[in-house]
Amino acid sequence: MADPLSRVFSALADPTRRDIVARLAVGDATVNELAAPYDVTVQAVSKHLRVLEDAGLVSRSREAQRRPVHLEAEVFDLMTKWIERYRRQAEERYRRLDDVLRAMPDADPPSPEGPTP
Amino acid sequence: MADPLSRVFSALADPTRRDIVARLAVGDATVNELAAPYDVTVQAVSKHLRVLEDAGLVSRSREAQRRPVHLEAEVFDLMTKWIERYRRQAEERYRRLDDVLRAMPDADPPSPEGPTP
DNA sequence: CGCTTGTTCAACCGTCGGGTTGACAACATC
DNA sequence: GATGTTGTCAACCCGACGGTTGAACAAGCG
């Protein structure tokens, strides 16, 4: 799973990881602090952070034996851009279809419904 | 994995599924049409569509023996809202931190770095 | 009716993801 | 140097996922 988009979407597909992101939006935190609210081991949270880091959503710096985790919000744009593109395209298509329906000459198109009976 | 957000993110974590969404943004299509560009079986694509449908990203109607697939773009909002929330929050935090740093009195805070030596 | 087309269901296989436990590295403090 | 704190690495378990094959169901058409 090499492509960045898959990594980001996949990273945020887990509720615990989304929770961690939510918490990090408030401020940086250490692994132990992040693990505290959950009933999983610290190792599990460390794994989650690795996934988030690989996705570019999070960065870890060294500060003595602590490793404060920091949210990197820029990667979000990758997703929003992708989403917006296809949302826009779908809406555009809808609009165009509407136009076609409006400008429809009353010839009988291959519509299976009611071809002007 | 009950929550809708996880389902949507998870659904879009697969490149094939994102591709299918991209194709459906252009217009509705049948399973066979969707499967054509890929070298996987039709059944595999059908499974992908089931995932997309469970996530609310796609709907299938019946039209004779065909089952045209239609993109439901509204669910995108779920994601964008989530993303925007935390992006905004992170930016807000950044801005506030900046203010704090700017308005910093030259007392010595518990910073482990250089406490104004 | 029998046949073809389009799609799904069921069973199976290999891999990945989230979780655990246990050991270990790095640093701080006594 | 011994001890404790913080975090990662490694091995393992189990359930979910993406894929396949083979059969079944549904709807039109000879």
Side-chain angles (χ1 to χ4, degrees):
Chain A
M1 201 218 298
D3 66 298
L5 214 39
S6 293
R7 276 201 288 262
V8 181
F9 276 120
S10 185
L12 293 181
D14 186 279
T16 305
R17 256 157 3 218
R18 281 201 308 278
D19 231 48
I20 290 177
V21 167
R23 164 104 190 240
L24 287 174
V26 177
D28 296 6
T30 70
V31 177
N32 272 299
E33 287 166 359
L34 289 171
Y38 311 103
D39 55 352
V40 300
T41 60
V42 182
Q43 289 94 317
V45 174
S46 187
K47 273 194 181 180
H48 280 310
L49 289 175
R50 179 147 181 68
V51 175
L52 289 170
E53 193 177 19
D54 286 352
L57 280 162
V58 135
S59 68
R60 283 182 279 188
S61 54
R62 172 126 256 161
E63 176 187 301
Q65 75 273 49
R66 293 215 175 69
R67 310 220 42 197
V69 183
H70 177 75
L71 182 63
E72 302 284 346
E74 298 85 38
V75 199
F76 282 168
D77 295 353
L78 215 71
M79 280 187 296
T80 48
K81 269 188 189 135
W82 189 91
I83 295 169
E84 273 313 301
R85 172 173 176 186
Y86 294 111
R87 214 177 66 100
R88 208 179 301 269
Q89 198 169 336
E91 278 166 2
E92 170 80 5
R93 171 171 78 91
Y94 222 70
R95 191 185 57 69
R96 215 178 313 173
L97 176 69
D98 234 43
D99 290 359
V100 167
L101 287 180
R102 188 163 313 132
M104 186 104 87
D106 53 346
D108 49 341
S111 161
E113 303 304 72
T116 60
Chain B
M1 200 219 297
D3 66 298
L5 214 40
S6 294
R7 276 201 289 262
V8 181
F9 277 121
S10 186
L12 293 180
D14 185 280
T16 305
R17 266 174 332 236
R18 281 201 309 277
D19 230 49
I20 290 178
V21 168
R23 165 102 190 242
L24 287 175
V26 176
D28 296 5
T30 71
V31 177
N32 273 300
E33 288 166 359
L34 289 171
Y38 311 103
D39 55 350
V40 300
T41 60
V42 183
Q43 289 95 317
V45 174
S46 186
K47 273 193 181 181
H48 280 308
L49 289 175
R50 179 147 181 70
V51 174
L52 289 170
E53 193 176 19
D54 286 352
L57 280 162
V58 135
S59 67
R60 282 182 278 190
S61 54
R62 172 128 255 161
E63 175 187 302
Q65 75 272 52
R66 293 211 175 72
R67 310 220 42 198
V69 184
H70 177 76
L71 182 63
E72 302 285 346
E74 298 84 39
V75 199
F76 282 167
D77 295 353
L78 216 70
M79 280 186 297
T80 49
K81 269 187 189 135
W82 189 91
I83 295 169
E84 273 314 301
R85 173 173 175 185
Y86 294 111
R87 214 177 67 100
R88 208 178 302 268
Q89 199 170 337
E91 279 166 1
E92 171 80 5
R93 172 172 76 94
Y94 222 70
R95 190 185 58 69
R96 215 178 313 173
L97 176 69
D98 233 45
D99 288 0
V100 167
L101 286 180
R102 188 163 312 132
M104 185 104 87
D106 52 346
D108 49 340
S111 160
E113 304 301 73
T116 60

